Amino acid sequence: MAEVDTHIEFDPLSTGSLRRRITSKAIIYGLLVLFSIYYLAPLAILLMNSMRPLEDIVRTGFIDIPSSLSSQYWVEAWGTFCIGGTCEGVSRFFMNSLLMAVPATIISTVLGLINGYALSKWRFKGADILFGLITLGVFLPAQMTLLPWAFVLGSIGLSNTISGLVLIHTIQGLSFTTLFCRNYFLAVPDDLIKAARIDGAGFWRIFRRIILPLSPPIIIVTVIWQFTGIWNEFLFGTVFTSGANQPITSALVAFSGSGTGVRAYNVEAAAVIMSALPPLVIYVVGGKYFVRGLTQGAVK
């Protein structure tokens, strides 16, 4: 006789009468809809104002039904709006952020994987102390590192450069990437490593053949965490760069002082959405893997 699948999906609202279940679900879904509206309303207002004529915004305010919509303000924000004496829009600063965030994310993730692997599977005397010192950076306020970084960047000639920001974010991110990867690799059975070592595999071969194939969840978590944090970072970009070398988050401040005395709210709104798009796209694409990676040990 064929086996009958008796598995029933757990439903926390399945207890009680039908009327009670319907009422509970209605309340929960109603609250979820309200919270969604609360969080998405600023984005919707910003998006709408990025396509409204400036005269319309000045006359009726930010929250009103638009008389017309146009994408020309996005084009202006990207390529022709004047910031700090140059009329290149945010395209240059957007590229600066890409040139800063992508290398810093890749390098800090790779180094975090190697650190986590060494500290969890090739333990040595003082490994716990070293791990504690590395993760101390998680709790260290960024403001405390400004003076040391100013000295370092000045000494090696990387002041006011994108390369200097890449160096800062790589080092600053090592605490998080090492913490994530080390805790994740603790869940990998030690017997796998011992068996590989008996077969003659060394540190790097085990890393390539065993550790990396088991690491996609934590790599996705680390990449999303690092990229969004580096892209949205404001303090280091403002303090250590100026002019055409600023990332987009720092350059957005210049929008409020374009020199003409007139606030182009529609162009500013378009520029703000542009600056927020890369982290949003990455999170939308890898969001489910991010949650899965967290539940598989990233924050144990």
Side-chain angles (χ1 to χ4, degrees):
M1 178 182 294
E3 294 185 358
V4 178
D5 186 5
T6 58
H7 174 72
I8 300 176
E9 193 75 23
F10 174 70
D11 184 357
L13 302 177
S14 62
T15 57
S17 64
L18 177 62
R19 182 177 178 181
R20 183 178 177 182
R21 294 201 301 270
I22 294 175
T23 304
S24 300
K25 288 188 176 181
I27 293 174
I28 290 174
Y29 286 121
L31 288 174
L32 291 175
V33 170
L34 286 177
F35 278 122
S36 300
I37 294 174
Y38 177 77
Y39 281 106
L40 293 177
L43 179 61
I45 294 172
L46 200 63
L47 182 62
M48 181 181 65
N49 283 292
S50 70
M51 294 183 285
R52 294 175 64 193
L54 182 59
E55 299 77 15
D56 193 12
I57 299 174
V58 173
R59 186 176 64 255
T60 61
F62 291 106
I63 303 176
D64 196 12
I65 298 175
S67 59
S68 63
L69 296 175
S70 173
S71 61
Q72 72 177 71
Y73 312 112
W74 283 67
V75 177
E76 186 177 349
W78 178 256
T80 62
F81 192 74
C82 297
I83 306 173
T86 60
C87 298
E88 299 178 357
V90 297
S91 55
R92 174 194 291 269
F93 307 106
F94 189 92
M95 292 306 299
N96 286 345
S97 288
L98 276 182
L99 293 174
M100 171 190 69
V102 173
T105 299
I106 294 174
I107 296 172
S108 61
T109 299
V110 171
L111 293 178
L113 285 167
I114 297 172
N115 286 349
Y117 166 54
L119 290 171
S120 61
K121 298 303 173 190
W122 293 76
R123 295 183 60 80
F124 50 89
K125 188 176 182 180
D128 290 337
I129 297 176
L130 181 59
F131 176 64
L133 291 175
I134 292 175
T135 53
L136 189 63
V138 173
F139 310 101
L140 198 64
Q143 292 82 354
M144 290 182 63
T145 65
L146 289 178
L147 281 179
W149 274 122
F151 175 78
V152 171
L153 295 183
S155 301
I156 60 178
L158 292 180
S159 296
N160 196 24
T161 63
I162 298 299
S163 300
L165 293 181
V166 171
L167 176 63
I168 291 174
H169 290 301
T170 298
I171 302 300
Q172 293 286 132
L174 276 181
S175 299
F176 288 99
T177 58
T178 301
L179 174 66
F180 289 170
C181 295
R182 185 257 189 188
N183 288 352
Y184 181 83
F185 292 148
L186 285 177
V188 177
D190 290 336
D191 292 341
L192 278 177
I193 310 301
K194 291 177 182 176
R197 294 181 70 175
I198 291 173
D199 290 339
F203 182 91
W204 294 110
R205 189 176 179 186
I206 295 174
F207 182 69
R208 284 198 323 272
R209 299 293 181 85
I210 297 178
I211 297 298
L212 283 184
L214 297 174
S215 303
I218 195 60
I219 291 176
I220 293 173
V221 168
T222 307
V223 166
I224 292 177
W225 180 277
Q226 281 295 93
F227 186 86
T228 53
I230 295 171
W231 185 277
N232 293 325
E233 200 278 331
F234 176 79
L235 179 63
F236 294 127
T238 303
V239 172
F240 295 121
T241 59
S242 61
N245 291 324
Q246 286 189 313
I248 192 169
T249 49
S250 302
L252 285 177
V253 178
F255 265 72
S256 59
S258 58
T260 62
V262 178
R263 294 289 299 275
Y265 297 111
N266 44 9
V267 180
E268 293 178 19
V272 169
I273 295 176
M274 286 179 189
S275 70
L277 278 179
L280 285 176
V281 170
I282 283 186
Y283 189 77
V284 168
V285 173
K288 65 178 182 181
Y289 302 104
F290 182 77
V291 175
R292 188 182 303 170
L294 288 178
T295 57
Q296 287 184 0
V299 293
K300 281 181 178 177

